[in-house]
Each structure stands twice: as structure tokens, then as C-alpha cells.
């Protein structure tokens, strides 16, 4: 079974569902000695399988696949309906149909888990909650390392109780969605270094520190504070191999956007993004509502004319983004 200590470079390229973590990016990072990760969230099971095959065709090195655990506390239908109504003026301006709430399903979670048990990959990670003990065992018996995400000491304890091969500790500076297990919870603002020290002192399970990495000095500091590896998302968004939308890539590099904020306006779950007009306009109406709000805003984001109309996920380290092959970005971050 894959061990983090076997990696030549103790850096994990974060899974980034929705397009950025292409098979080309994953294979480039794994080939260069780090660990690439596919984002299996939002994908159909067929697409997930095709991406796995594409990575296998590009590299013999280990890689990971990430899944979204379905919400154990579902959204409130009234809140989601109110948010749909609040989006109407924006939809009209963009010339799209007024958004209507619809049942959002479970992202084909069970089918994807079954696929990964039947045709195992070196590592499977989970975010937004915890898989069942049976799912963890079945994946491990199939030969996969299982990695779970935590944003607080309590979540880390719950992860460790499932005997995973590693736990990702995601700090508040991270780009994209917070991995918090309960969508209704306030997002923790405990700094990553403090979270890491608290957990490192009480487990021998390898810890992967994530959030806000901008330079190799950040990587070194987290490794010396007890992390076995560091997970980086935002800096790979502008790599040559990433599938990041051009408007998102441009926003990260242009200097036009200067600040990141945590917001629920795009998906109903807290996520860190470059602050733009969509966020400012909808902030007062935001509700807890994942995944329904994600699907409500999806046609509006698709119709957006520029970076002010979409979710520009970014961690606080985004100022270090540059356009380069993923292997160069990895080499520059290496401790
Ligand atoms: C565009 C984007 C998409 C993301 N998608 C996922 C995902 O699908 N699954 C997941 O576990 N984490 C996801 N994350 C969070 C990362 O795993 C990681 O915690 C974060 O990128 C680390 O912070 P950084 O972006 O500052 O490096 C995403 C992050 C970004 C920036």
C-alpha cells in the first residue's frame, strides 16, 4: 500500500473537482515525484473511470482520487428557495432562466465507491465528511490508502477513529471549499500551524497539511511542525496542465483581484475565493445549502461574462501563482 514517506517530493497536488485537476496535471505531478490527485466530485462515474484510465496511460506512478461524501445534514428547502429568489435579478441580467431548486442527488457517491473498490487506485481521499467504516475497510482491503479531511481537532479525532492511512488537516487559508464535515458549522479559523501541532502531538498517523501554501518556506515550516506531506491546490491552478477556466487563470495572474474571502454564495458551503462582484452582490443573501445552491448558480456562472460572475476559488497564497509546467511548480515548492 502507498505510504507518503515513499514520495520523492512530499507534496500532494490537491484534487480539484470541476475541471482543474486533469489527468495531464495529475500525471505530471506524480511523474515529477509528488502525488497527483483526480477530483472525482461533480463527475459522472463514467467520467471518473475515463480520467483514471487516462492517468494510468500517462504514468506508472501512484496517484489519488477524491470523492465528496454526501451531506449528513441536508439543506433547508426554505432557505434554498429564498436564495433562488434572490438570484433572479442576476439571472435576468445574464439572460438565463430564473433558477429553480431541484433535488441534487448524492453525486453518484455509492457507485463511485463501488467502482474504486472493484478497480482500485493507489489512494482514495474523501472530503465534506466521513465514509462509513465498511467503505474504508473495503477500500483498504482492495489495496488503496485511505485519506480523510479535517478542519478542526474534533474532526481529526473522528477521522483517526476510522484508521486511515493519512489525515489532511485543512487550514482556513485554503482555496476552494472548506472540508468541514457539517455544512451548517461555522468554519474554523484556527491557523493551520496550530491545528497541525495539536494533532501531531497525539497520533502517529501521517498528517498532510493544506491551505495557503505559497512558497517552499511554507512547505518546510509545515514539515518541521510535524506534517508528513503538504497539499497544494491554488498554485497548481495556473500550471500548464491544469484545466482551469481561462477567466479563472487570468484572474489569478492579472493582479485585478487582490483579496480572498470565505463565502457560501456559489455553492451553499463555505469556500475561499477571490472577492468579486458576484460575492459582494449576493453575500447578504447567502444560505447554507450544499449541493442545491451549487446547481442553482451553475447556469449563472456558465453565462458569466468575466471573472466577476464566477467562483474564482483561491487560497491566500494565490499571489505566488505563475504560469509554468506543473513539474516546475512542484520543484520550486519542494523543501
Ligand atoms: C479550485 C479548487 C478546487 C478544489 N476542489 C477540491 C476537491 O474536489 N476535493 C478536495 O478534497 N479538496 C478540494 N479543494 C481543496 C484542496 O484540497 C486544498 O485543501 C486546498 O487547495 C489547499 O489550499 P491552497 O489552495 O491554498 O493550496 C479545492 C481547492 C481549489 C483551489
Amino acid at each position: 500500500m502507498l505510504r507518503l514517506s515513499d514520495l520523492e517530493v512530499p507534496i500532494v497536488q490537491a484534487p480539484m473537482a470541476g475541471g482543474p485537476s486533469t489527468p495531464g496535471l495529475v500525471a505530471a505531478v506524480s511523474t515529477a515525484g509528488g502525488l497527483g490527485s483526480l477530483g472525482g466530485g461533480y463527475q459522472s462515474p463514467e467520467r471518473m473511470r475515463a480520467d483514471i484510465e487516462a492517468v494510468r496511460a500517462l504514468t506508472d506512478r501512484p496517484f489519488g482520487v477524491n470523492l465528496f461524501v454526501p451531506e449528513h445534514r441536508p439543506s433547508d428547502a426554505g432557505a434554498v428557495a429564498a436564495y433562488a429568489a434572490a438570484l433572479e435579478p442576476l439571472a435576468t441580467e445574464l439572460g438565463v432562466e430564473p433558477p429553480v431548486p431541484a433535488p441534487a442527488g448524492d453525486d453518484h457517491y455509492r457507485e463511485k465507491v463501488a467502482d474504486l473498490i472493484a478497480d482500485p487506485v493507489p489512494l482514495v481521499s474523501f472530503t465534506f465528511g466521513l465514509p462509513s467504516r465498511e467503505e474504508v475497510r473495503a477500500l483498504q482491503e482492495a489495496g488503496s490508502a485511505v485519506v480523510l479531511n479535517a478542519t478542526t481537532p474534533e474532526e481529526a479525532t473522528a477521522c483517526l477513529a476510522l484508521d486511515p492511512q493519512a489525515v489532511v488537516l485543512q487550514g482556513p487559508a485554503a482555496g476552494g471549499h472548506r472540508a468541514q464535515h457539517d455544512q451548517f458549522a461555522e468554519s474554523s479559523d484556527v491557523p493551520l500551524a496550530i491545528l497541525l501541532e495539536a494533532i501531531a502531538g497525539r497520533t502517529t498517523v501521517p498528517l498532510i497539511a493544506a491551505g495557503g501554501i505559497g512558497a517552499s518556506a511554507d512547505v518546510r515550516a509545515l514539515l518541521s511542525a510535524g506534517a508528513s506531506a503538504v497539499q497544494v491546490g491554488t498554485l497548481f491552478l495556473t500550471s500548464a496542465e491544469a484545466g482551469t477556466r481561462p477567466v479563472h487563470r487570468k484572474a489569478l495572474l492579472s493582479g485585478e483581484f487582490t483579496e480572498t474571502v470565505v463565502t457560501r454564495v456559489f455553492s451553499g458551503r463555505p469556500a475561499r475565493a477571490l472577492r468579486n462582484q458576484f460575492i459582494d452582490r449576493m453575500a447578504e443573501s447567502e444560505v447554507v445549502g450544499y449541493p442545491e445552491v451549487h446547481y442553482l448558480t451553475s447556469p449563472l456562472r456558465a453565462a458569466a461574462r468575466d471573472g466577476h460572475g464566477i467562483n474564482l476559488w483561491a487560497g491566500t497564497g494565490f499571489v505566488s501563482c505563475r504560469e509554468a509546467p506543473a513539474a516546475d511548480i512542484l520543484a520550486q515548492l519542494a523543501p
Side-chain angles (χ1 to χ4, degrees):
M1 192 182 283
L2 172 67
R3 287 179 312 184
L4 288 175
S5 54
D6 295 337
L7 295 176
E8 275 167 42
V9 182
I11 294 178
V12 178
Q13 164 255 310
M16 292 185 281
S21 47
T22 57
L25 172 58
V26 174
V29 171
S30 289
T31 303
L35 185 81
S37 324
L38 286 171
Y42 304 135
Q43 287 187 326
S44 65
E46 296 72 31
R47 182 61 199 269
M48 184 188 84
R49 282 192 287 268
D51 276 5
I52 291 171
E53 285 310 321
V55 175
R56 287 174 174 155
L58 290 167
T59 185
D60 295 334
R61 306 296 277 267
F63 63 96
V65 176
N66 175 259
L67 298 182
F68 293 169
V69 177
E71 297 300 327
H72 70 278
R73 282 178 71 194
S75 317
D76 173 68
V80 172
Y83 192 65
L87 285 169
E88 265 182 43
L90 189 54
T92 307
E93 281 169 36
L94 291 166
V96 299
E97 292 290 313
V100 180
D106 70 351
D107 199 41
H108 308 285
Y109 173 78
R110 266 158 260 287
E111 195 179 338
K112 290 175 189 171
V113 172
D115 273 358
L116 292 169
I117 293 168
D119 183 11
V121 295
L123 182 147
V124 179
S125 66
F126 293 88
T127 190
F128 297 167
L130 297 175
S132 69
R133 188 169 293 278
E134 293 67 37
E135 288 164 341
V136 172
R137 289 267 162 75
L139 288 162
Q140 290 170 332
E141 277 164 19
S144 300
V146 171
V147 173
L148 307 173
N149 266 270
T151 64
T152 63
E154 296 72 28
E155 288 179 351
T157 302
C159 290
L160 291 168
L162 288 170
D163 295 323
Q165 274 57 53
V167 174
V168 177
L169 297 177
Q170 190 205 43
H177 282 111
R178 301 308 313 278
Q180 62 194 61
H181 299 180
D182 179 2
Q183 64 163 334
F184 286 86
E186 282 286 318
S187 298
S188 165
D189 58 5
V190 176
L192 176 58
I194 293 176
L195 181 62
L196 176 61
E197 257 187 57
I199 309 305
R202 58 168 152 100
T203 183
T204 54
V205 171
L207 302 174
I208 303 173
I213 306 300
S216 78
D218 301 331
V219 176
R220 286 196 297 275
L222 291 164
L223 294 176
S224 44
S228 295
V230 166
Q231 182 156 308
V232 178
T234 301
L235 262 59
F236 285 110
L237 285 172
T238 52
S239 65
E241 297 87 346
T244 313
R245 278 175 76 171
V247 63
H248 190 177
R249 195 180 275 271
K250 186 169 156 237
L252 288 163
L253 295 166
S254 67
E256 182 190 353
F257 299 88
T258 55
E259 191 190 348
T260 66
V261 288
V262 174
T263 178
R264 294 181 189 262
V265 296
F266 296 110
S267 73
R269 248 189 180 272
R272 187 173 288 282
L274 294 174
R275 183 173 171 186
N276 64 4
Q277 287 166 10
F278 191 115
I279 296 175
D280 287 346
R281 183 159 167 177
M282 298 309 300
E284 277 189 17
S285 309
E286 73 173 12
V287 297
V288 178
Y290 187 84
E292 291 81 1
V293 170
H294 166 81
Y295 292 105
L296 281 179
T297 63
S298 169
L300 282 71
R301 290 181 281 123
R305 296 181 191 109
D306 57 30
H308 281 285
I310 67 165
N311 48 315
L312 301 169
W313 296 152
T316 59
F318 80 94
V319 287
S320 301
C321 280
R322 63 191 179 95
E323 270 188 302
D328 290 4
I329 294 170
L330 186 78
Q332 197 172 10
L333 286 171

